[in-house]
């Protein structure tokens, strides 16, 4: 099959991929990935996150845990 030799056993791609996997990741990057998984969020640059959000029709920004605090104006209106 034409073109398959670039992906086969011992190919440049396979060697580069093995090198990439064997290098591992930094502790900081690990923490970023772990946090994203825990929050069911994406990792990546803002453009990537915005593109995925547009495709699935859901906001994907990283936010803190819990409900947003009420503004002081809303609280003043209730007095």
């Amino acid at each position: 099959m034409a073109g398959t030799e670039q992906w086969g056993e011992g190919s440049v791609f396979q060697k580069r991929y093995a090198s990439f996997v064997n290098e591992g990741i930094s502790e900081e990057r690990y923490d970023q990935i772990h946090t994203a998984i825990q929050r069911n969020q994406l990792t990546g640059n803002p453009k990537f996150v915005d593109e995925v959000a547009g495709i699935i029709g859901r906001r994907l920004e990283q936010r803190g845990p819990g409900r947003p605090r009420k503004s002081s104006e809303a609280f003043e209106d209730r007095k």
Side-chain angles (χ1 to χ4, degrees), residues 1-2 5 7 10-13 15-17 19 24 28 33 36 40 43 47-49 52 61 64 68 74:
M1 206 184 285
E5 61 279 350
W7 304 102
S11 68
V12 173
F13 173 79
K15 290 175 184 174
R16 286 183 181 168
Y17 184 75
S19 175
E28 179 183 3
I33 294 168
N40 199 26
T43 60
K47 182 180 177 187
F48 172 74
V49 174
V52 173
E61 65 195 32

Side-chain angles (χ1 to χ4, degrees), residues 7-67:
W7 304 102
E9 182 87 25
S11 68
V12 173
F13 173 79
Q14 185 181 34
K15 290 175 184 174
R16 286 183 181 168
Y17 184 75
S19 175
F20 168 75
V21 170
N22 290 328
E23 283 178 17
I25 58 173
S26 68
E27 189 171 335
E28 179 183 3
R29 186 66 178 143
Y30 174 85
D31 290 340
Q32 289 172 340
I33 294 168
H34 179 52
T35 300
I37 291 169
Q38 294 295 94
R39 292 181 173 187
N40 199 26
Q41 294 178 329
L42 295 175
T43 60
N45 65 35
K47 182 180 177 187
F48 172 74
V49 174
D50 289 345
E51 286 178 17
V52 173
I55 291 169
I56 67 171
R58 185 175 148 216
R59 185 173 54 177
L60 298 170
E61 65 195 32
Q62 286 193 349
R63 296 176 288 169
R67 292 179 60 132

